[in-house]
Amino acid sequence: MHADSGSRRGAAHPQQEGPTDLRLVPPALAAWATAALALDASPGWVTGIAVGALTVALVLLVTRRRDITAGGRTPSRRDAHPDLSPEGVHPASSWRRAAWPRVSIAALLLSVAAAAASAGLHGADLRRGPVPELAREYATVTTEVEVGSDPRLTRPRISGDHAAPVSVLIEAEVRRVEEMDGTVVETRAPVLLIVDPGSSAKGGRATGGSGGGPQHSPWLGLLPSTRVKVTARLAPSLTSGDRVAAVLRVRNQPVPEVVEGPSGAQRFAGRLRAGLREATDGLPGDARALLPGLVVGDTARITPELDEAFKETDLAHTLAVSGSNLTILLALLIGPPGLAQHIERRGLAPRLGISLRATALLGGVLTLGFVVVCRPDPSVLRAAACGAVALLALATGRRRSLIPALATAVLLLVLYDPWLARSYGFLLSVLATGALLTLAPRWSETLR
């Protein structure tokens, strides 16, 4: 059927597709490995890798273009050219076939260059600016930080059974540093913001929270993208290879001093998350804390004791938003994926009279909203990327496009956030999705 289709890619019949296109897999894997290695590399090494790979790729592309030009145009069968072989193949086409490996190698090298540049820039955030040096000196500074995650309660371990008091933990970026001598420096350094319990307790009394304490701290109400001014002490990170340049410990600041409010998208997502918390106010304490965490990853109400209980029972992964959350949303819209391309497809979309491709587009909008509401954490990004692969297959109706789509998703995610290249969760998600696309259909057919 493929030979008669007249196309190198085979026929478009969903049950009679050509072989899987694996050309994007090597560039994605090369970018993955490069990002994992380049995060800790020196600027010289990163620059050398990026420039060298880019130069070799350009040379390959230029030589390929020259070879094709020298080989001449490849005429069609209708030209009845006298130089055609008995099989109908023009000698010039051999030049094109010989040039394809150069294109593949050039694509791989371009991916390496892009991954090295992205990882180098992300890794440089940990070293550039005054924050790392001030952290080594344990200096006290006044800074403007941009909140990068939802605040949560934590109880850091010290050693053995001894534990630090409950604190508010926030992932943030230092944007402006004002040293004790009045020097002001604009910078961009990822930090871990820890609000000590003394500040939280005072904040609870100041805001009239019942019982005070960290659970009622106004710091827990901060939304991502909010800019806050704090006076805190810097300290170096305890673990090497971490994605934070320093730890910023805040004391004696019960209420955050907001310099700039959150973005519109974060305000909208914050209202949705707040509405879910309000809807759970009538539930018991643990259920009231767990339901927002299970649905949208909102762990603000989860106490350190409850979090520790989930870790002891190996259930901590249920508190992180994963692909199952997005699967439920898409299943309500699309129904069973196996019936999506049949006349008896289910879900809300056919009931509303939405076409198949419009359903895929609507699913993409739903996936984007899922990322905004649940925050672009690594697990959320992985779920969104894998969901996008399934939606692409739904829109095109061709299984052979799934592996290239997965490779493209991996490549884009690694370039967007090179730290994913070192994430075991990211590795497991990619392997699981790849197995569902390659092994699961064969196993299902064998079992059937």
Side-chain angles (χ1 to χ4, degrees), residues 381-406:
L381 291 177
R382 294 194 302 266
C386 296
V389 172
L391 291 173
L392 180 62
L394 182 65
T396 60
R398 302 184 66 177
R399 182 176 295 277
R400 72 184 304 274
S401 64
L402 292 180
I403 294 297
L406 178 61

Side-chain angles (χ1 to χ4, degrees), residues 72-345:
R73 182 181 66 89
T74 304
S76 64
R77 298 176 183 270
R78 292 174 297 179
D79 293 338
H81 197 280
D83 293 336
L84 285 176
S85 64
E87 292 79 11
V89 179
H90 192 274
S93 64
S94 62
W95 288 94
R96 298 183 181 273
R97 288 197 300 268
W100 271 114
R102 301 184 191 180
V103 177
S104 301
I105 296 175
L108 187 146
L109 292 174
L110 289 175
S111 300
V112 168
S118 178
L121 292 175
H122 281 77
D125 290 339
L126 307 181
R127 299 183 294 268
R128 67 185 174 192
V131 172
E133 181 63 28
L134 292 172
R136 287 190 288 268
E137 298 174 358
Y138 293 88
T140 299
V141 295
T142 300
T143 67
E144 283 187 14
V145 299
E146 182 176 318
V147 178
S149 67
D150 289 292
R152 61 186 185 274
L153 297 175
T154 184
R155 175 176 284 166
R157 288 186 177 274
I158 302 298
S159 61
D161 295 333
H162 300 282
V166 177
S167 304
V168 178
L169 191 67
I170 307 173
E171 297 175 10
E173 273 192 352
V174 172
R175 293 301 185 92
R176 194 170 181 227
V177 178
E178 182 179 344
E179 302 181 32
M180 298 303 293
D181 59 359
T183 306
V184 178
V185 180
E186 300 286 341
T187 186
R188 187 185 182 95
V191 296
L192 199 60
L193 192 66
I194 300 178
V195 182
D196 281 355
S199 299
S200 299
K202 293 179 182 179
R205 291 192 295 268
T207 56
S210 60
Q215 292 82 358
H216 302 279
S217 170
W219 289 88
L220 292 174
L222 294 177
L223 293 175
S225 74
T226 305
R227 282 206 179 191
V228 182
K229 186 176 182 180
V230 298
T231 300
R233 186 183 183 187
L234 283 167
S237 177
L238 296 178
T239 57
S240 60
D242 202 355
R243 62 187 304 169
V244 297
V247 176
L248 203 61
R249 189 173 291 275
V250 180
R251 293 187 175 94
N252 303 321
Q253 189 172 346
V255 179
E257 182 181 347
V258 177
V259 177
E260 184 179 340
S263 62
Q266 293 295 348
R267 285 196 299 268
F268 175 73
R271 285 195 295 267
L272 294 179
R273 293 162 73 96
L276 180 58
R277 288 195 298 268
E278 292 176 2
T280 60
D281 283 341
L283 299 176
D286 287 349
R288 183 170 61 249
L290 286 174
L291 186 56
L294 296 173
V295 176
V296 295
D298 186 356
T299 59
R301 287 180 171 178
I302 295 180
T303 62
E305 293 79 11
L306 184 59
D307 183 59
E308 187 65 25
F310 268 72
K311 290 180 179 178
E312 291 294 334
T313 54
D314 291 332
L315 293 174
H317 62 279
T318 60
L319 300 179
V321 177
S322 62
S324 59
N325 301 59
L326 182 59
T327 299
I328 294 173
L329 293 177
L330 295 180
L332 291 175
L333 177 67
I334 300 172
L339 299 177
Q341 297 173 359
H342 294 75
I343 191 63
E344 53 276 294
R345 66 188 182 109

Side-chain angles (χ1 to χ4, degrees), residues 336-405:
L339 299 177
Q341 297 173 359
H342 294 75
I343 191 63
E344 53 276 294
R345 66 188 182 109
R346 302 174 187 173
L348 294 177
R351 294 176 181 269
L352 298 176
I354 303 176
S355 65
L356 190 60
R357 294 193 175 182
T359 300
L361 180 61
L362 184 59
V365 175
L366 187 63
T367 302
L368 180 61
F370 173 80
V371 173
V372 173
V373 174
C374 298
R375 312 300 191 215
D377 294 329
S379 59
V380 177
L381 291 177
R382 294 194 302 266
C386 296
V389 172
L391 291 173
L392 180 62
L394 182 65
T396 60
R398 302 184 66 177
R399 182 176 295 277
R400 72 184 304 274
S401 64
L402 292 180
I403 294 297

